[in-house]
Amino acid sequence: MNSSALAGKTVVVTRPREQAEDIIAKLEMCQAQPYLLPLIQTTWANDLAPLDQAIHRLDSYDGVLFSSVNGVRYFFHRAGELAAADGTNGVISRLNGLFVAAVGPATARALHKESLSQVHVPHSYKQEELVQLLQNRLQPGSRLLYPRAKVVRPHLLEQLVQSGFDVDDVVVYQTEYRLEGKEKFVRDLAQGKVDVVTFTSASTVKAFDQLLSSHKMPKTDLPVTIACIGPITAKEAEKRGIPVHVVAREHTVNGLIRALEDYYTYKG
């Protein structure tokens, strides 16, 4: 059995603890040493009234699009709470009557776990391709529900509106940084005890940047490989002066690990 090029590498995982199980398992399969460093956490939106209203009037929409696993998680959690509180049942059956789209396979899997029978995913897992998918399958003027994070790239919403869709974008969760208690990691980073830092979202990059700044660590000559899940995340890092060495061509955890294996295979 051939050893992975990641064998023995210490790889930092910066996503929230509750979302890190998948990438940690895959790193362990490569005989790498995962180093969990959750730099962000998600919480409910400050005002859930818009989400509650959207869930109550699901039948008025033609489609629903989910751009993250967190969006799925918070949406269905709230739907369950409403069902328990006031008998708002039938969310799954009503969603199965709509055009449901997800930006990538992880988000689609989260929807399948909620028992949605049909979820549409763009071929290249990009927001731009998601817009194209919706344009191909729905008519201009169609009503879309977009449950989203508080801070997102405006590009998707702008493109949907420009395409003629009537979009009801509802904030369901927000992201907070978790920078406390990270002194050991800062020491390990400075002493070259980690090999790779992975970023799976722009939010993790921003939190990492703040962590370095709070400890007055330089960003340009970090003794570590920086790996990003896709070009949007990489662009955020480069904008902040953090050199990027690896960008996954397939914007998934599997794609990120494959890109790292290719990098170390070539580097030796």
Side-chain angles (χ1 to χ4, degrees), residues 60-245:
S60 70
Y61 298 104
D62 299 295
V64 184
L65 62 94
F66 293 91
S67 60
S68 71
V69 172
N70 281 326
V72 174
R73 185 160 61 94
Y74 279 92
F75 179 90
F76 282 93
H77 188 107
R78 187 58 180 170
E81 289 181 338
L82 292 179
D86 59 17
T88 311
N89 289 312
V91 169
I92 298 300
S93 61
R94 286 186 287 156
L95 280 172
N96 276 327
L98 306 178
F99 185 88
V100 178
V103 71
T107 306
R109 282 196 295 274
L111 288 165
H112 288 311
K113 286 181 180 177
E114 297 292 344
S115 301
L116 285 186
S117 58
Q118 188 168 19
V119 178
H120 303 270
V121 182
H123 179 69
S124 64
Y125 314 152
K126 296 178 180 177
Q127 290 189 352
E128 292 78 2
E129 295 294 329
L130 179 62
V131 174
Q132 186 64 54
L133 173 67
L134 291 165
Q135 288 175 328
N136 293 340
R137 301 296 297 272
L138 297 175
Q139 296 297 317
S142 296
R143 295 203 67 222
L144 296 178
L145 173 61
Y146 174 27
R148 65 173 175 86
K150 181 178 181 179
V151 178
V152 295
R153 268 204 311 155
H155 180 75
L156 176 59
L157 186 58
E158 292 170 355
Q159 290 297 304
L160 291 170
V161 172
Q162 290 175 15
S163 299
F165 295 119
D166 180 5
V167 184
D168 196 359
D169 67 307
V170 175
V171 175
V172 297
Y173 72 97
Q174 53 195 337
T175 301
E176 298 175 348
Y177 299 157
R178 290 189 57 190
L179 306 182
E180 70 284 354
K182 302 296 190 292
E183 291 77 12
K184 179 180 184 302
F185 166 74
V186 172
R187 288 196 300 273
D188 288 346
L189 180 64
Q191 294 170 5
K193 293 183 177 179
V194 300
D195 298 294
V196 182
V197 177
T198 61
F199 296 109
T200 52
S201 69
S203 296
T204 55
V205 171
K206 294 173 186 174
F208 184 73
D209 185 25
Q210 282 204 11
L211 180 65
L212 295 184
S213 296
S214 66
H215 288 273
K216 303 186 185 315
M217 289 193 70
K219 293 179 279 188
T220 54
D221 57 351
L222 290 171
V224 69
T225 298
I226 300 294
C228 295
I229 200 166
I232 303 301
T233 304
K235 186 176 179 181
E236 186 65 42
E238 290 166 347
K239 185 176 76 176
R240 292 168 180 274
I242 300 172
V244 176
H245 306 91

Side-chain angles (χ1 to χ4, degrees), residues 126 199 227-231 234 244-260:
K126 296 178 180 177
F199 296 109
C228 295
I229 200 166
V244 176
H245 306 91
V246 177
V247 181
R249 281 180 291 184
E250 179 187 302
H251 314 317
T252 64
V253 166
N254 283 337
L256 179 60
I257 291 176
R258 275 198 296 270
L260 273 169

Side-chain angles (χ1 to χ4, degrees), residues 9-28:
K9 304 292 184 189
T10 300
V11 182
V12 176
V13 176
T14 56
R15 59 178 17 184
R17 183 181 299 273
E18 64 272 16
Q19 296 177 23
E21 183 178 340
D22 184 36
I23 187 170
I24 285 176
K26 293 180 189 309
L27 287 169
E28 289 175 341

